[in-house]
Structures are given as structure tokens and as C-alpha cells.
Amino acid sequence: MSESGQYGTPEHFVLHISDTHFVADGALLHGKVDSDSKLARVFERLERSGQRPEAIVFTGDLADAGDPRAYERLRAIVEPAAARLGAQVIWVMGNHDERSAFRRDLLGGEPTQESVDAVFDVNGLRIVVLDSTVPGHHHGEITDEQLAWLRDVLATPAPHGTLLALHHPPVPSPVELLEIVDLKEQHRLESVLAGTDVRSILAGHLHYSTSCTFAGIPVSVASATCYTMDLFSEAEGIRGQDGSQAVNLVHVYRDRVLHSVVPIDESPTLYEMSMEKLRYFQSLSPEEQLAVMADSSNR
């Protein structure tokens, strides 16, 4: 890719989506949310924008109750869109997913209860999928066997480094009640990741966008496409809301990884400006810029 500005051009572009929570045919999530149309809107906007990710990573809770028909509808929306975009699709297990149906209906494999761990090569960028789910429970754990497998994978660095994708984020939360469903014994994962080529950790589960560091590695949590958590709700409770749904854009540069939160609903336009007009705008004085902005807003 050609160089552009002081940062250069990103080497990789990944779309990070989480917590779609598809339900049975014809049903609404919690009786109010059309999970299918929310996700479809993401791809409609993405395709219209002209942006083309190399991979689309879904970090879990794809179906609300592991319903096979939910996975079928999810594939029916995602796979044609991914084909048009030329993007690889990477599925990650969540605590609401069911391993056997997940393996059969999303991965086309045997419907076993084995953890869903995998490695993907995206043009030199390695994406490692780690199944943090505990069947029948909502908290997360990573077994000794998984940690040994991960240590072996990371022993050899990838050409452009590694992104680790899992459902349960190794981060604290301002919502105290979420502590009961977090990733347990995080220090064990931390010891495996320290000093490796993992450049960022992608996660979901929380239903709001947030970021932190873990083992010196940036952690980026994507919000949900179905519904989100109100972080200004009463301190002793939680409040789910039909609003603020978002996805993340992940741009991997040679020396850094950029995570950008994009709401799935469009907001009213204040002004629009092409690259040609932007260059012209930058050549103007501050007073002239204000006049141009006012004229654009009044149209």
C-alpha cells in the first residue's frame, strides 16, 4: 500500500461486530428488538460507504439461545455481504451460543462440545480465536489445555502480528453487577500473552463500547448490534436500552492499531464536504471557514 501522511496507510482493515443475539424465526429480542434488521443495517451502510474490510470478526453471542434457525438467518445476512465485500468471516463463541449448533450451523463441522479455538491468516495478520465460554454458565474461563495451545501458537510470531479475539473481555466494568459474568482467573491468560506478538485483543459481552489494557496489550470491546447497556443507570442495577448500538473499525498500521466506534444508525447531516472541497476549505482563513460552514448548514 502507498504511504499517506505521517502515519502511512493501514496494512489491514478489520470490521469488529459483537453480540447480535439472533432469536427464533419471527421473534423479537425481549419482545422489542429486531436483531436481524439491526445487523443488516450495518452491512447496508458499510457497502454504501465503499469501505472494504479484509475480515469481519464476530466476538460472540451470535444467537440469543443457540437456536439453529438463528444461526441460519445470521449466515444468510452475513455471508452474501462478506462475499460482496471480499471479506473473510471469523466467528467467535459467546456465552449465549451453543457449541454443537455453533459448530454445525456456522462452521459446517461436527456438532461436538469441544471449545471453538482457531487460527486465521489475514494477509499476514494472524487472528486467534479463543473460546472463553463455560457451557451452561455466563461467566468466562480458559482451560489449561487452551492456554497450552495458545502458548504454542504464539511461540512463532506472525508477519504482521496477532489479534486475539474472545467473547469475555479481560477488563473491569463500571457496572458492578457485570463482575459475576466476567472472565475468571485472568492472570493465567496474562502470563501467556506477556511478551508475545499480540497487538490487540478484541472482545464483546458487555453491550457497550470500552477499552483498556491487559498484559500491556490494548483491549477493545465492541458494543452490541442488538441492544446496549446504559452506563448512567442507577448504581445498584442495570438497564438495557434500544439505542447506541455500534460496531468497531480496526485499522492495523505498521506500528499501531486503531479502533474506531461507529454507531449503526445514521444521524442528521450537518454538512458534507468532498476531498477537493476540504483542501479548498483548509486554504481559507478562520473567518472564511465559518462562512462556508454556515452556508453549507443552511442548504
Side-chain angles (χ1 to χ4, degrees), residues 12 16 63 80 87 127 129 140 145 183 231 240 260 264 278 280:
H12 301 282
H16 178 195
I127 299 181
V129 168
E145 292 77 14
L183 181 66
L231 297 188
S260 305
I264 68 173
L278 179 59
Y280 167 71

Side-chain angles (χ1 to χ4, degrees), residues 37-232:
S37 66
K38 297 282 189 186
L39 181 62
R41 193 175 307 157
V42 172
F43 289 107
E44 187 277 325
R45 290 196 63 199
L46 179 64
E47 291 188 66
R48 180 156 43 92
S49 76
Q51 300 183 53
R52 297 293 180 264
E54 296 165 90
I56 305 169
V57 180
F58 287 82
T59 50
D61 281 3
L62 308 177
D64 190 59
D67 190 302
R69 295 167 297 175
Y71 292 129
E72 291 171 6
R73 292 202 324 280
L74 181 63
R75 290 182 62 182
I77 291 174
V78 174
E79 291 181 350
R84 293 191 297 270
L85 293 165
Q88 184 175 359
V89 180
I90 298 174
W91 308 109
V92 181
M93 271 283 298
N95 55 283
H96 278 260
D97 293 306
E98 199 280 320
R99 280 180 177 169
S100 60
F102 185 99
R103 283 184 168 279
R104 181 188 62 235
D105 300 316
L106 279 184
L107 305 182
E110 291 296 318
T112 70
Q113 283 293 323
E114 296 177 14
S115 63
V116 184
D117 308 306
V119 179
F120 298 86
D121 174 51
V122 181
N123 302 316
L125 175 68
R126 180 168 57 192
I127 299 181
V128 176
V129 168
L130 192 62
D131 185 349
S132 58
T133 66
V134 182
H137 300 274
H138 291 296
H139 70 275
E141 293 179 7
I142 300 170
T143 67
D144 291 337
E145 292 77 14
Q146 288 178 290
L147 291 173
W149 171 82
L150 180 62
R151 185 180 289 106
D152 184 62
V153 168
L154 298 178
T156 303
H160 297 166
T162 298
L163 302 182
L164 176 64
L166 74 168
H167 183 62
H168 296 82
V171 303
S173 172
V175 182
E176 292 184 7
L177 282 178
L178 292 181
E179 184 176 346
I180 64 176
V181 296
D182 66 7
L183 181 66
K184 305 304 180 185
E185 298 186 323
Q186 297 177 12
H187 65 280
R188 299 169 68 241
L189 175 62
E190 185 174 19
S191 66
V192 173
L193 297 183
T196 68
D197 74 339
V198 175
R199 302 179 61 185
S200 189
I201 299 172
L202 311 182
H205 189 49
L206 300 180
H207 287 243
Y208 62 86
S209 303
T210 192
S211 60
C212 193
T213 56
F214 179 72
I217 302 166
V219 180
S220 179
V221 180
S223 184
T225 60
C226 59
Y227 71 89
T228 64
M229 286 290 174
D230 178 8
L231 297 188
F232 275 174

